[in-house]
Structures are given as C-alpha cells and as structure tokens.
Amino acid sequence: MASSPCSSVNFDSGLEIKTRSVEQTLIPLVSQITTLINHKDKPKKSERTQQAIQRVGQAVSVAVGRFVAVGEAIAVENEELKEEMGMACFEARRAGDAIAQLTDVGTAVTPPVDGRTTVFSDRTGMVKAARMLLSSVTKVLVLADRIVIKQIITSRNKVLVTLEQLERVSTFQEFVQIFSQFGNQMVEFAHLTGDRQNDLKDENKKARMAAARAVLEKCTMMLLTASKTCLRHPDCESARINKDAVFHRMRFALEQVMEIVTDARPCGETKVLPLSIYTGIKDFKSNVEGLREGLYLLPHQALSGQLEAVVERTEDFTDSAYTSHEHREGILQLCQLARQDTDQLITAWMEAQSLNAKEATEEMELSILKTCQSVYELRRELHKVAVGRAADLLKLHAEHLPLRALKASGGEGNLEAVAEYARTLGEQKEQLVETCRLLCHVSGTEPLEITCIHAEETFHVIGPQIISAAQTLALHPSSKIAKENLDVFCEAWESQLCDMAVLLREINDVFEGRRGDKRAYMSLPRPGKHSANLKTVKAVKLDAEEQSTIAKLGLELRLLTSDMDTEVEKWEDQEHDIVRQGQSLSSMAYSMYLFTRGEGLLKTTTDLFHQAEVLSEEGLQLCSSLHTFSTQLMDEQKVVVLSEMEKLMGLCQQLQMGVRTPVQGKTATFQKVDSSIQNTRAIITVVIYLLPVCNKIVRKYKSERSSLGSPQSWRDRQSSTAVKDDVLNGKNSNGFGVKSLEQHMANLTFLESK
C-alpha cells in the first residue's frame, strides 16, 4: 500500500506487519481511533457532537470485546501462544474500556464554565489508550498469523516425512499406498501456501513463493513416474539419476517455501538478486535527475562509475553468439552515446559547482535531459533484442521437434540417436537459459526478475532430466512406465515454454506501462472464524495427476486471456458493449486459471462451477450484443458475425448445462472441472476471433462516416444513421450488454465472503 491508514497513527508495537490480512483488519480500527484523537477540541460542543463521539467510543469498545473473544479462543486451542495471547487480549480489553470511559459524556472529568461537558478533558489519556489498543490488537493479529505459519510448517513436515518414505520404498504396492497419502498432503500444502502467497505484502517474497510452488507442482508428477520407473528397473543408473534429481529439487523447493514463510535464512545469509541492467539504469537515472535538487551530494566519479557498471552488463548481449551483428553494433553505439552525454553532463556539472551555483544551470539541465534520453534509448534497444530473441525462440521450438525425436529414438532403443538428439536439446537449453538471463536484465520489476531466474533454473534442470529419462527408455524400449516418465518430463518442458510466453507478455506490459494490479486474497481468518486448525474447505480433493492435467489446461487458458486483453486494447472505444463484455469474460477466465494453480478467490470446485455459470451468462449477453450489432451489417459481414455468434451461443449453453448438472464422486467431479475449463477455453477462443472482426467493422464505418457525402444523401440517411451509430458504437437502448466488470467483481466478492 502506498499510504495506509495504519501509518497515520504512530504506535510502538515492536511488530512488523507482513500480510495484507493483518493490515486490512487494522484499518477500520485505526480509522475510528484517528477520528477520536484528531477531533477538533473546540471550547464548546453541542449535545449532538458529544453523543456522536460517545457512539464512536462505544463502537470501538464493543468491537474490541468481540475481537478479544476470538483471540482468547485461539489462545485456548494453542498452548504455546496462551500466555502471550492472553496478555495481548488483556491489554486490548483494558484499552478499549478506557476509550469507552473517556468518551462517555456522563463520566467526563471537568465541566467548563457554561455547564457543558468537554469530552476530551483527558486528551493525554486518550492518546495513551489509543496507542495501547493499537499495539495490543496488532500483537493479537500477528500472534494469530503465527497459527497460519504453524499450519504451513506442520503441513510441510508431513510432506517431508512422506517424501522420505517414498524414497525408501521397494515395492509397487507400498509405493502406491504412500503416494496416495503424499498426493493429498501436497494438495493441502498447495492450498495453504497459495493463500499465504496471495496474502504477502512483499511482492518479491510473493514471486519467490510462486516460483517455489511451481517447482513443487511440476515435480509431484515427475516424482510419481520417476519413482515407478526406478522400481520397475532397479538396476538402471539413468533411472536412479532421474529419480534422485526430482527428490533433490522437491526438498530444495520445500526449504525455499519455509525461508519465505518464516523469514529464516541458513547461516544468516541475505538473498540478493543479481543486479540487472534495468535496475542499474534506474539507479543511474535517479542520481542524474537528483542533481537538480543537489549539486554537491555526489562525487563526479559516481555517475561515470554507475554508467560503466551498466555498460559492462550489456556484454551479456554483445558477447552472445546468438546476437546479430546489427543488434550488437546498435548496442555498442548507444553505450558510446550514453558515455558521451554523461561526460558532457559531468563537465556542465563541474562548471556549475565552480560558479557556486545553488541549482542546475540551463546547460546542465539540457545535459540531464540528453543523458536520461540516451540511457532510455539503450534500455529500449536491449528490451527489443531480449524480447525479440525470446519470441523467435518460442516460435522456433513451438513444434518441440527435439522432444519428439527423443521419444521416437528412445522407443526404438536407439542409444546413438538419443545421444545425438540430446545434444540438440542441450543446445536449445543453453539458448533458453541465456535468453532468460537477458530477459532478467530488461524485466522492469524485481518480481519479474525473480520469475526470469526461476525460468532459467527450470530449463537448466529439466533439460538433463529429459535426457536421462530418454536414455532409460532407450535401454528399456518396451517399458510403458519408462515411456510415461519421458512424456511427463517433456510435458514439464513444454509447460515451462508456456510459462515463458506468459512471462514475455508481462515484461512487455511493464515496459509499455499496461500492467494492472490483481486482487489479493487474505489468508488470515475472517472475524468469527477462530478455529486454530483453520482447515481448508474443499468440495473435492484432486490427486497429483488430476492437478497436473488441470494446471496444463489452466496455462492454455492464461495465454488465451492475454491474447484477449491484447485484442481488447486495440479498440478505440473502451466503453463499447462488446469490449466491456469481452473484458468481463477475460477477467472471469483469468480467475479460473488461478484456481488451477490453487490461487485466487475460487477455493473449491463449487466456487469454480459458480464462476463458470456466471461466465456462460455473460457470454450469452455478448451474443445478444453481437446479434444487435449484426442487424446493421452488410450481408458478407453479417454472415461472419452471426456464424461465430451461433457458435459462441452453443458453447455458452453447453457450459451452462454442464455446470448445472449435479455429479457425485471424485472422478465425476474432476471430469466436470475438466469439461468446464475446456468449454471456457473454447468460448474465449471464439471471442478472440470475433473482437478484431467487429473492431475492423466499427473502424471502417467510422472512416466512411468521416468522409464527406452529398447533402441530399446525408438527409436521406440521417434518421437511420442515428440508430446505426448507437448500435455500432455499442449504445443499445434495449439494455443488452450493460452488465459491467464491476458487477462481475461483485460476484467474486460474494465468493470471498462465503
């Protein structure tokens, strides 16, 4: 939060608020107390004013009483926190009572000469009580937050114990039994850590948590097939290497989650991101612009040193064998230009200092602008090179040819061919790793830098794992389990390429200033829910294989919503019914994507089905808007729009019927989830096709309307044109298409409050 009400009142709690749920719970209380403390202490107060202040004081006292009751219930259920929580609750109750007493008109201390009562006759006492109340309430909230942390630690410990058991099993029967338990534990851990991730205030921690959870998500399926392969072929060295790598990576990811949740680091280490070019340019530019405010705050060498550090990092681009000669020369020229402009700035700066100037001279101001522009041009060129290379690589590897070749040669038992295609995959891996490093330099935010580093590490690790899985299959070409294992690792590689495509879009969004905030989910228990166990409510648990399948569908849905957002942004009229309904569909589809990752506001399968039903209704509203839109079109255009509209209507009705059909049992529920996401994906695909078609028609019509026609023809068309304008501009008088994004967000709020 840029400015939270929590920061408007100073109090010494000695506690750091790390989650949004704690902060959001404090805000109403802080607001009420601020009202009391900052109330103007006029010599005279009307009876109405006195009663209003008294009501606020009583409301604070009652709210604190209820809040303390929750805290005391938590203390009873958690022996290790009983003493601390009890003391904090006692202090909160005492402070609440003091505020109620100080705002009680009947017990005011000294009446003034006119006989009226001064509510704040003991202002010092009020400030003291307010500080004690905020301090004690914050402590209760932070202690309650420890329960959430304790849950995650307990869940992780269960996972670790079962992980060790899985590593030691020697029979299939024992493995199946233990893995079933492990799968349920991983689903519980995913929900707990997903809630925590969304609740964290620190965006860097949130990104690190997302990266660690992504590793665990992918590794769960890998662990299943790698372990089965090792059990079937116990003497195969490549199978053992493959399995050991998965177990090692899972343990490392679990430790990363614990570091984030508990703020603990081994041996007191501090996690420092490698300095990116973007960060270097941002700091350099900040110091350059800071010269306007102070000419004597920095030594001259500081600026040139900062720039040289940035130029040195550009060697990751210029030294790369994959950077074209044209791009290399362009980067070198821009580096040289930035050096020249910086040298001129330093010269002007030194002249201003020699004249004892108190502010930047006109010459210096011009140099500041030129220097900032030159480093911006450098950043833009580097962004173009990194993003362009990433996009080219994604297109080049879209067919996954090395993976197909490895599967084919492994299935034929051809070890020589496997070795040859392994080299090809190794080269592809090196290209992707280097490209992720370049994207990190231009990512634009630290959370995206963390995501780039995660992508780089993932390609670096999964590449050799695919090769070892292919070697195992080549040694045992008739083994179905070895084939399944290779398929799973190849799918993880393909999934990471999809993640990279999403990352690329987000980096572009940041560079172009299009990035928006996402709604946060609070992990702290809501008022009245004080069970210390805080068990996650789930309609049905999905096993590891089902989670993997749904996650893959979710990624495809995420890419489609990105495409849809891009098409929506191309419309000049963002208030057009078709645009607003498209935005609403994209937002709902995105929330369904978050469900596949165990994140967001949709927590259970029931929530997902409700969201899918709302999406289908919005889709049908879009069909109504499209039908009205088509009435003013020429025959050819009309056929295209109506054809796609009918397809969209059928898909929406199919989704609606599917989610309204009751099912029983785990398998049926999973099939319903799978079908809902598949149908949603099909709906979004049709809308993505329709958006540019309709946009082109609207643009063409506006262009024709802007050209001059004869007065007579204008008069003939005037009355019909007014209606046509309204229709084509999305201003339907019949009420179609008026369901806004705000109404959709209200549906999400309903889900959150359930």
Side-chain angles (χ1 to χ4, degrees), residues 142-164:
V142 173
L143 288 171
D145 191 55
R146 283 193 205 169
I147 307 299
V148 179
I149 295 172
K150 177 186 171 185
Q151 277 185 283
I152 296 173
I153 293 171
T154 302
S155 179
R156 170 262 199 173
N157 289 342
K158 287 179 187 175
V159 169
L160 271 180
V161 169
T162 313
L163 198 64
E164 289 177 5

PDB file of all heavy atoms in Angstrom, residues 142-164:
ATOM      1  N   VAL A 142      -0.866 -10.527  14.865  1.00  0.00           N
ATOM      2  CA  VAL A 142       0.396 -11.154  14.462  1.00  0.00           C
ATOM      3  C   VAL A 142       0.536 -12.536  15.100  1.00  0.00           C
ATOM      4  O   VAL A 142       1.026 -13.480  14.467  1.00  0.00           O
ATOM      5  CB  VAL A 142       1.589 -10.243  14.809  1.00  0.00           C
ATOM      6  CG1 VAL A 142       2.901 -10.948  14.549  1.00  0.00           C
ATOM      7  CG2 VAL A 142       1.529  -8.952  13.993  1.00  0.00           C
ATOM      8  N   LEU A 143       0.076 -12.666  16.346  1.00  0.00           N
ATOM      9  CA  LEU A 143       0.102 -13.984  17.001  1.00  0.00           C
ATOM     10  C   LEU A 143      -0.846 -14.945  16.288  1.00  0.00           C
ATOM     11  O   LEU A 143      -0.525 -16.122  16.106  1.00  0.00           O
ATOM     12  CB  LEU A 143      -0.291 -13.849  18.477  1.00  0.00           C
ATOM     13  CG  LEU A 143       0.749 -13.183  19.392  1.00  0.00           C
ATOM     14  CD1 LEU A 143       0.155 -12.916  20.771  1.00  0.00           C
ATOM     15  CD2 LEU A 143       1.997 -14.048  19.530  1.00  0.00           C
ATOM     16  N   ALA A 144      -2.022 -14.445  15.885  1.00  0.00           N
ATOM     17  CA  ALA A 144      -2.957 -15.283  15.124  1.00  0.00           C
ATOM     18  C   ALA A 144      -2.338 -15.693  13.795  1.00  0.00           C
ATOM     19  O   ALA A 144      -2.543 -16.816  13.317  1.00  0.00           O
ATOM     20  CB  ALA A 144      -4.261 -14.523  14.893  1.00  0.00           C
ATOM     21  N   ASP A 145      -1.561 -14.778  13.205  1.00  0.00           N
ATOM     22  CA  ASP A 145      -0.896 -15.084  11.943  1.00  0.00           C
ATOM     23  C   ASP A 145       0.121 -16.210  12.115  1.00  0.00           C
ATOM     24  O   ASP A 145       0.392 -16.964  11.186  1.00  0.00           O
ATOM     25  CB  ASP A 145      -0.210 -13.819  11.414  1.00  0.00           C
ATOM     26  CG  ASP A 145       0.267 -13.978   9.986  1.00  0.00           C
ATOM     27  OD1 ASP A 145      -0.555 -14.318   9.128  1.00  0.00           O
ATOM     28  OD2 ASP A 145       1.460 -13.778   9.732  1.00  0.00           O
ATOM     29  N   ARG A 146       0.685 -16.305  13.316  1.00  0.00           N
ATOM     30  CA  ARG A 146       1.623 -17.406  13.585  1.00  0.00           C
ATOM     31  C   ARG A 146       0.945 -18.764  13.457  1.00  0.00           C
ATOM     32  O   ARG A 146       1.595 -19.770  13.152  1.00  0.00           O
ATOM     33  CB  ARG A 146       2.204 -17.273  14.997  1.00  0.00           C
ATOM     34  CG  ARG A 146       3.276 -16.209  15.134  1.00  0.00           C
ATOM     35  CD  ARG A 146       3.986 -16.391  16.456  1.00  0.00           C
ATOM     36  NE  ARG A 146       4.586 -15.156  16.927  1.00  0.00           N
ATOM     37  CZ  ARG A 146       5.076 -14.987  18.150  1.00  0.00           C
ATOM     38  NH1 ARG A 146       5.004 -15.967  19.022  1.00  0.00           N
ATOM     39  NH2 ARG A 146       5.616 -13.839  18.508  1.00  0.00           N
ATOM     40  N   ILE A 147      -0.359 -18.794  13.720  1.00  0.00           N
ATOM     41  CA  ILE A 147      -1.093 -20.054  13.584  1.00  0.00           C
ATOM     42  C   ILE A 147      -1.069 -20.507  12.128  1.00  0.00           C
ATOM     43  O   ILE A 147      -0.891 -21.685  11.828  1.00  0.00           O
ATOM     44  CB  ILE A 147      -2.563 -19.888  14.049  1.00  0.00           C
ATOM     45  CG1 ILE A 147      -2.637 -19.296  15.460  1.00  0.00           C
ATOM     46  CG2 ILE A 147      -3.312 -21.206  13.971  1.00  0.00           C
ATOM     47  CD1 ILE A 147      -1.999 -20.127  16.515  1.00  0.00           C
ATOM     48  N   VAL A 148      -1.247 -19.547  11.226  1.00  0.00           N
ATOM     49  CA  VAL A 148      -1.203 -19.863   9.796  1.00  0.00           C
ATOM     50  C   VAL A 148       0.182 -20.391   9.423  1.00  0.00           C
ATOM     51  O   VAL A 148       0.319 -21.375   8.698  1.00  0.00           O
ATOM     52  CB  VAL A 148      -1.549 -18.611   8.957  1.00  0.00           C
ATOM     53  CG1 VAL A 148      -1.471 -18.921   7.469  1.00  0.00           C
ATOM     54  CG2 VAL A 148      -2.928 -18.086   9.321  1.00  0.00           C
ATOM     55  N   ILE A 149       1.217 -19.717   9.938  1.00  0.00           N
ATOM     56  CA  ILE A 149       2.591 -20.153   9.673  1.00  0.00           C
ATOM     57  C   ILE A 149       2.818 -21.559  10.234  1.00  0.00           C
ATOM     58  O   ILE A 149       3.433 -22.413   9.592  1.00  0.00           O
ATOM     59  CB  ILE A 149       3.596 -19.154  10.280  1.00  0.00           C
ATOM     60  CG1 ILE A 149       3.478 -17.794   9.572  1.00  0.00           C
ATOM     61  CG2 ILE A 149       5.028 -19.671  10.183  1.00  0.00           C
ATOM     62  CD1 ILE A 149       4.286 -16.686  10.206  1.00  0.00           C
ATOM     63  N   LYS A 150       2.290 -21.769  11.438  1.00  0.00           N
ATOM     64  CA  LYS A 150       2.433 -23.086  12.084  1.00  0.00           C
ATOM     65  C   LYS A 150       1.773 -24.167  11.230  1.00  0.00           C
ATOM     66  O   LYS A 150       2.307 -25.275  11.080  1.00  0.00           O
ATOM     67  CB  LYS A 150       1.791 -23.038  13.477  1.00  0.00           C
ATOM     68  CG  LYS A 150       1.812 -24.365  14.223  1.00  0.00           C
ATOM     69  CD  LYS A 150       1.030 -24.247  15.521  1.00  0.00           C
ATOM     70  CE  LYS A 150       0.835 -25.611  16.175  1.00  0.00           C
ATOM     71  NZ  LYS A 150      -0.031 -25.526  17.366  1.00  0.00           N
ATOM     72  N   GLN A 151       0.592 -23.850  10.668  1.00  0.00           N
ATOM     73  CA  GLN A 151      -0.089 -24.806   9.791  1.00  0.00           C
ATOM     74  C   GLN A 151       0.785 -25.189   8.600  1.00  0.00           C
ATOM     75  O   GLN A 151       0.881 -26.361   8.235  1.00  0.00           O
ATOM     76  CB  GLN A 151      -1.371 -24.177   9.253  1.00  0.00           C
ATOM     77  CG  GLN A 151      -2.558 -24.253  10.172  1.00  0.00           C
ATOM     78  CD  GLN A 151      -3.759 -23.700   9.449  1.00  0.00           C
ATOM     79  OE1 GLN A 151      -3.896 -22.485   9.329  1.00  0.00           O
ATOM     80  NE2 GLN A 151      -4.604 -24.554   8.957  1.00  0.00           N
ATOM     81  N   ILE A 152       1.395 -24.173   7.979  1.00  0.00           N
ATOM     82  CA  ILE A 152       2.230 -24.433   6.800  1.00  0.00           C
ATOM     83  C   ILE A 152       3.436 -25.285   7.190  1.00  0.00           C
ATOM     84  O   ILE A 152       3.809 -26.224   6.472  1.00  0.00           O
ATOM     85  CB  ILE A 152       2.677 -23.107   6.153  1.00  0.00           C
ATOM     86  CG1 ILE A 152       1.457 -22.340   5.626  1.00  0.00           C
ATOM     87  CG2 ILE A 152       3.657 -23.360   5.012  1.00  0.00           C
ATOM     88  CD1 ILE A 152       1.763 -20.944   5.122  1.00  0.00           C
ATOM     89  N   ILE A 153       4.057 -24.967   8.324  1.00  0.00           N
ATOM     90  CA  ILE A 153       5.216 -25.747   8.788  1.00  0.00           C
ATOM     91  C   ILE A 153       4.806 -27.188   9.063  1.00  0.00           C
ATOM     92  O   ILE A 153       5.503 -28.137   8.669  1.00  0.00           O
ATOM     93  CB  ILE A 153       5.823 -25.101  10.055  1.00  0.00           C
ATOM     94  CG1 ILE A 153       6.434 -23.737   9.706  1.00  0.00           C
ATOM     95  CG2 ILE A 153       6.876 -26.013  10.678  1.00  0.00           C
ATOM     96  CD1 ILE A 153       6.872 -22.930  10.915  1.00  0.00           C
ATOM     97  N   THR A 154       3.658 -27.365   9.739  1.00  0.00           N
ATOM     98  CA  THR A 154       3.174 -28.720  10.046  1.00  0.00           C
ATOM     99  C   THR A 154       2.899 -29.493   8.761  1.00  0.00           C
ATOM    100  O   THR A 154       3.264 -30.664   8.628  1.00  0.00           O
ATOM    101  CB  THR A 154       1.889 -28.639  10.903  1.00  0.00           C
ATOM    102  OG1 THR A 154       2.160 -27.907  12.096  1.00  0.00           O
ATOM    103  CG2 THR A 154       1.386 -30.024  11.263  1.00  0.00           C
ATOM    104  N   SER A 155       2.256 -28.813   7.803  1.00  0.00           N
ATOM    105  CA  SER A 155       1.946 -29.451   6.523  1.00  0.00           C
ATOM    106  C   SER A 155       3.227 -29.833   5.792  1.00  0.00           C
ATOM    107  O   SER A 155       3.333 -30.940   5.247  1.00  0.00           O
ATOM    108  CB  SER A 155       1.112 -28.497   5.670  1.00  0.00           C
ATOM    109  OG  SER A 155       0.820 -29.058   4.423  1.00  0.00           O
ATOM    110  N   ARG A 156       4.197 -28.950   5.805  1.00  0.00           N
ATOM    111  CA  ARG A 156       5.487 -29.231   5.137  1.00  0.00           C
ATOM    112  C   ARG A 156       6.196 -30.399   5.802  1.00  0.00           C
ATOM    113  O   ARG A 156       6.798 -31.253   5.134  1.00  0.00           O
ATOM    114  CB  ARG A 156       6.334 -27.971   5.157  1.00  0.00           C
ATOM    115  CG  ARG A 156       7.782 -28.162   4.725  1.00  0.00           C
ATOM    116  CD  ARG A 156       8.654 -28.298   5.948  1.00  0.00           C
ATOM    117  NE  ARG A 156      10.046 -28.040   5.664  1.00  0.00           N
ATOM    118  CZ  ARG A 156      10.964 -27.980   6.613  1.00  0.00           C
ATOM    119  NH1 ARG A 156      10.631 -28.123   7.889  1.00  0.00           N
ATOM    120  NH2 ARG A 156      12.220 -27.754   6.305  1.00  0.00           N
ATOM    121  N   ASN A 157       6.154 -30.462   7.136  1.00  0.00           N
ATOM    122  CA  ASN A 157       6.812 -31.562   7.852  1.00  0.00           C
ATOM    123  C   ASN A 157       6.182 -32.908   7.485  1.00  0.00           C
ATOM    124  O   ASN A 157       6.882 -33.915   7.329  1.00  0.00           O
ATOM    125  CB  ASN A 157       6.735 -31.334   9.363  1.00  0.00           C
ATOM    126  CG  ASN A 157       7.629 -30.189   9.810  1.00  0.00           C
ATOM    127  OD1 ASN A 157       8.536 -29.775   9.085  1.00  0.00           O
ATOM    128  ND2 ASN A 157       7.381 -29.652  10.985  1.00  0.00           N
ATOM    129  N   LYS A 158       4.853 -32.913   7.340  1.00  0.00           N
ATOM    130  CA  LYS A 158       4.175 -34.143   6.914  1.00  0.00           C
ATOM    131  C   LYS A 158       4.665 -34.559   5.522  1.00  0.00           C
ATOM    132  O   LYS A 158       4.934 -35.732   5.268  1.00  0.00           O
ATOM    133  CB  LYS A 158       2.660 -33.914   6.863  1.00  0.00           C
ATOM    134  CG  LYS A 158       1.974 -33.804   8.208  1.00  0.00           C
ATOM    135  CD  LYS A 158       0.480 -33.566   7.972  1.00  0.00           C
ATOM    136  CE  LYS A 158      -0.260 -33.279   9.262  1.00  0.00           C
ATOM    137  NZ  LYS A 158      -1.683 -32.943   9.011  1.00  0.00           N
ATOM    138  N   VAL A 159       4.751 -33.569   4.636  1.00  0.00           N
ATOM    139  CA  VAL A 159       5.208 -33.844   3.267  1.00  0.00           C
ATOM    140  C   VAL A 159       6.630 -34.413   3.283  1.00  0.00           C
ATOM    141  O   VAL A 159       6.931 -35.379   2.572  1.00  0.00           O
ATOM    142  CB  VAL A 159       5.147 -32.564   2.409  1.00  0.00           C
ATOM    143  CG1 VAL A 159       5.870 -32.758   1.077  1.00  0.00           C
ATOM    144  CG2 VAL A 159       3.704 -32.148   2.155  1.00  0.00           C
ATOM    145  N   LEU A 160       7.507 -33.830   4.092  1.00  0.00           N
ATOM    146  CA  LEU A 160       8.900 -34.288   4.159  1.00  0.00           C
ATOM    147  C   LEU A 160       9.000 -35.725   4.659  1.00  0.00           C
ATOM    148  O   LEU A 160       9.776 -36.529   4.123  1.00  0.00           O
ATOM    149  CB  LEU A 160       9.706 -33.377   5.079  1.00  0.00           C
ATOM    150  CG  LEU A 160      10.373 -32.147   4.444  1.00  0.00           C
ATOM    151  CD1 LEU A 160      11.135 -31.360   5.497  1.00  0.00           C
ATOM    152  CD2 LEU A 160      11.324 -32.552   3.321  1.00  0.00           C
ATOM    153  N   VAL A 161       8.220 -36.039   5.692  1.00  0.00           N
ATOM    154  CA  VAL A 161       8.242 -37.407   6.242  1.00  0.00           C
ATOM    155  C   VAL A 161       7.802 -38.403   5.175  1.00  0.00           C
ATOM    156  O   VAL A 161       8.446 -39.443   4.967  1.00  0.00           O
ATOM    157  CB  VAL A 161       7.332 -37.498   7.493  1.00  0.00           C
ATOM    158  CG1 VAL A 161       7.134 -38.956   7.904  1.00  0.00           C
ATOM    159  CG2 VAL A 161       7.939 -36.709   8.650  1.00  0.00           C
ATOM    160  N   THR A 162       6.698 -38.083   4.510  1.00  0.00           N
ATOM    161  CA  THR A 162       6.185 -38.989   3.473  1.00  0.00           C
ATOM    162  C   THR A 162       7.147 -39.056   2.290  1.00  0.00           C
ATOM    163  O   THR A 162       7.300 -40.112   1.654  1.00  0.00           O
ATOM    164  CB  THR A 162       4.796 -38.514   3.001  1.00  0.00           C
ATOM    165  OG1 THR A 162       3.994 -38.211   4.129  1.00  0.00           O
ATOM    166  CG2 THR A 162       4.106 -39.588   2.184  1.00  0.00           C
ATOM    167  N   LEU A 163       7.821 -37.951   1.985  1.00  0.00           N
ATOM    168  CA  LEU A 163       8.806 -37.919   0.899  1.00  0.00           C
ATOM    169  C   LEU A 163       9.952 -38.890   1.185  1.00  0.00           C
ATOM    170  O   LEU A 163      10.405 -39.622   0.293  1.00  0.00           O
ATOM    171  CB  LEU A 163       9.341 -36.496   0.743  1.00  0.00           C
ATOM    172  CG  LEU A 163      10.050 -36.135  -0.564  1.00  0.00           C
ATOM    173  CD1 LEU A 163       9.088 -36.225  -1.740  1.00  0.00           C
ATOM    174  CD2 LEU A 163      10.626 -34.724  -0.481  1.00  0.00           C
ATOM    175  N   GLU A 164      10.405 -38.908   2.428  1.00  0.00           N
ATOM    176  CA  GLU A 164      11.477 -39.843   2.809  1.00  0.00           C
ATOM    177  C   GLU A 164      11.008 -41.287   2.706  1.00  0.00           C
ATOM    178  O   GLU A 164      11.765 -42.175   2.288  1.00  0.00           O
ATOM    179  CB  GLU A 164      11.939 -39.530   4.232  1.00  0.00           C
ATOM    180  CG  GLU A 164      12.718 -38.222   4.342  1.00  0.00           C
ATOM    181  CD  GLU A 164      13.097 -37.884   5.775  1.00  0.00           C
ATOM    182  OE1 GLU A 164      12.844 -38.715   6.672  1.00  0.00           O
ATOM    183  OE2 GLU A 164      13.629 -36.776   5.993  1.00  0.00           O
TER     184      GLU A 164
END
